[in-house]
Amino acid sequence: MQASEIRIAPSILSADFGAMREAVRALQDGGADWIHFDVMDGHFVPNLTFGAPMVAALRSHCDLPFDVHLMIEQPERLIPDFAAAGANSITVHVEACPHLHRVVQQIREVGCRVGVALNPHTPLDSVRYILPELDLLLVMTVNPGFGGQAFLDLMLPKVAEAAALIQRVAPHVLLQVDGGISPDNARQLVELGAQVLVAGSSVFHAPTPQEGIRALRLAITSHKA
Ligand code: DX5
Ligand code: ZN
């Protein structure tokens, strides 16, 4: 895949929650491809963030696709709200959905792109048979719940295996990685087959979000020494 086809999806989890409108505008002006929303419920993960009203409040201030990552139990209860709020893609966790395929169908029915996320320990096999019905497969590269965690090198073979599985079974599916992504590992992840890079800290802890995004793009386009 061409470096220009790689999507950068900054996570507003690392933005100033008192200035979210400015944050999404800065990301759009700074060259982001998607905006990633980390929704946490304090149950599925030990942290609490925001809900559909945040997505709705920001929708009119940004034209980019809104990529909603639901780290919540029983996501089926809230999927209609996130769709109505303006989500373009909705990703649910395998571990939160005993009837995952039913939830996949529900996301499709509300008109959003369908994503499924895997915690670090969750095998790829858990999505093997429903992969053709997805648009996005999210391989978590940290344990979900918090921004700013260290990338788990253990996940490198999983990213490669996910890319191979997608190629074999459902080549239309985009492979997304999330957690600890920075200019230091972005290139390796893209070489292994990642196509959507979610990044919170590395974008928002840069001098400006634009510089953070540019550093990620540079990392995936520059030639090896
Ligand atoms: C983790 C979230 C991620 C994370 C990204 O629970 O899903 O989106 O916040 O932030 P960094 O890039 O800081 O790991
Ligand atoms: Zn996320």
Side-chain angles (χ1 to χ4, degrees):
M1 169 164 284
Q2 298 281 313
S4 59
E5 294 173 52
I6 304 299
R7 279 101 165 156
I8 309 278
S11 168
I12 57 164
L13 181 63
S14 302
D16 174 357
F17 275 30
M20 282 302 202
R21 178 169 38 187
E22 291 73 14
V24 293
R25 285 182 179 159
L27 293 173
Q28 178 162 311
D29 294 345
D33 296 302
W34 298 355
I35 307 287
H36 185 82
F37 287 75
D38 283 310
V39 178
M40 305 185 188
D41 66 354
H43 292 278
F44 179 68
V45 290
N47 193 11
L48 194 58
T49 56
F50 45 73
M54 177 70 88
V55 176
L58 296 175
R59 187 61 284 183
S60 62
H61 301 289
C62 181
D63 301 323
L64 297 178
F66 280 4
D67 176 41
V68 173
H69 177 192
L70 295 181
M71 286 161 277
I72 66 175
E73 290 176 359
Q74 296 183 278
E76 61 278 4
R77 293 184 306 153
L78 292 175
I79 284 165
D81 291 358
F82 282 99
N88 298 90
S89 53
I90 297 180
T91 295
V92 295
H93 270 260
V94 170
E95 305 82 8
C97 299
H99 305 288
L100 181 60
H101 184 244
R102 183 177 294 151
V103 181
V104 163
Q105 290 175 309
Q106 184 193 9
I107 299 172
R108 183 73 66 204
E109 276 161 23
V110 297
C112 293
R113 268 198 304 256
V114 183
V116 168
L118 306 174
N119 277 343
H121 75 282
T122 303
L124 287 169
D125 266 359
S126 58
V127 289
R128 161 73 180 79
Y129 298 108
I130 60 164
L131 206 51
E133 294 201 7
L134 309 187
D135 300 303
L136 266 179
L137 179 66
L138 170 50
V139 172
M140 291 302 301
T141 46
V142 297
N143 288 294
F146 301 95
Q149 301 180 82
F151 178 86
L152 294 170
D153 285 331
L154 280 172
M155 293 300 106
L156 291 170
K158 189 176 185 182
V159 173
E161 285 169 31
L165 179 66
I166 286 172
Q167 215 42 55
R168 206 170 64 243
V169 176
H172 67 279
V173 172
L174 290 173
L175 179 57
Q176 185 174 36
V177 286
D178 181 7
I181 312 295
S182 74
D184 294 337
N185 54 26
R187 186 188 179 94
Q188 185 178 15
L189 287 162
V190 167
E191 284 174 352
L192 292 175
Q195 295 156 298
V196 185
L197 306 178
V198 176
S201 311
S202 78
V203 168
F204 282 97
H205 296 173
T208 64
Q210 182 170 32
E211 286 174 65
I213 293 166
R214 195 182 298 140
L216 284 166
R217 279 209 207 282
L218 201 64
I220 60 179
T221 48
S222 58
H223 291 287
K224 270 186 177 160

